[in-house]
Amino acid sequence: MAFDSRLQRDIMGRFATGVTVVTTRYKNGDITGMTANAVMSLSLDPPLVVVSVDKSATMHSALSDGQCYAINILTREQEHLSNRFAMPGPKDFSDLILRESKTGAPILEGTLGYLDCKIVDILPAGDHDMFVGEILAGELGEGNPLLYYGSRYQSIAEGQV
Ligand SMILES: Cc1cc2nc3c(=O)[nH]c(=O)nc-3n(C[C@H](O)[C@H](O)[C@H](O)COP(=O)(O)O)c2cc1C
């Protein structure tokens, strides 16, 4: 019998993560994004990261089409962006200050940092696919991280960062 998926979620929920918004640009120029914490640094040489994306998410087809993404790491003041980009369907960027990096994926303003990546591999992983990205550009920002733990947003205690 397959391992209980609720228990898997609950146990992995004890693994504290940061929160990112992964953005992309379709070939027709449209942009979209998705809140993601299944993000990992994969290799330093070559510089690779990976994002695991649900096959049923709009973002899955967007990434397959655009062949690029940016990982935007959120600050604790950007919880509203995490909520916005966790809603399924088209995403509203109209009130956001955006920059374009090398691949054309939109870079969000005021994050802890971003990585701009070209997709070099798509690895199957059950009901998700893993989009491996080669890092073409990136920058560090400033601030305190937004954390996700036990299915809730958390932040590091004042004075601990
Ligand atoms: C904190 C948090 C982390 C998430 N991480 C992921 C993730 O790593 N991969 C994923 O496929 N969905 C993740 N999701 C769910 C997506 O953000 C959500 O399904 C979203 O509606 C997808 O939008 P789309 O279908 O318009 O692409 C996460 C949601 C939250 C709140």
Side-chain angles (χ1 to χ4, degrees):
M1 207 171 69
F3 191 75
D4 181 63
S5 59
R6 182 69 256 171
L7 185 56
Q8 179 181 351
R9 278 170 182 248
D10 288 347
I11 293 171
M12 288 309 294
R14 300 288 170 92
F15 186 59
T17 67
V19 183
T20 76
V21 171
V22 175
T23 55
T24 191
R25 184 177 295 273
Y26 291 89
K27 291 217 172 79
N28 71 4
D30 288 350
I31 56 175
T32 191
M34 182 192 85
T35 301
N37 65 349
V39 165
M40 187 175 74
S41 182
L42 200 57
S43 161
L44 296 176
D45 184 17
L48 301 176
V49 289
V50 67
V51 183
S52 176
V53 181
D54 194 318
K55 285 180 180 169
S56 68
T58 314
M59 189 63 176
H60 189 281
S61 50
L63 289 172
S64 305
D65 180 73
Q67 288 297 306
C68 67
Y69 59 80
I71 298 174
N72 299 271
I73 304 171
L74 300 185
T75 68
R76 71 177 178 203
E77 289 78 22
Q78 292 176 317
E79 187 178 316
H80 61 289
L81 292 181
S82 177
N83 290 329
R84 181 190 302 193
F85 285 93
M87 299 289 283
K91 308 297 188 300
D92 181 17
F93 287 82
S94 60
D95 60 330
L96 303 180
I97 300 170
L98 301 175
R99 281 192 293 139
E100 211 176 283
S101 191
K102 285 200 170 162
T103 65
I107 308 303
L108 306 183
E109 185 79 356
T111 66
L112 287 180
Y114 76 86
L115 291 170
D116 184 33
C117 307
K118 171 180 87 171
I119 293 171
V120 291
D121 218 345
I122 303 174
L123 307 174
D127 55 10
H128 284 53
D129 277 335
M130 296 194 291
F131 289 81
V132 178
E134 181 184 342
I135 303 167
L136 300 188
E139 273 179 76
L140 277 173
E142 297 289 336
N144 295 313
L146 179 62
L147 302 182
Y148 201 65
Y149 176 75
S151 305
R152 289 171 47 196
Y153 295 113
Q154 312 268 357
S155 57
I156 293 174
E158 211 60 54
Q160 297 298 304
V161 178

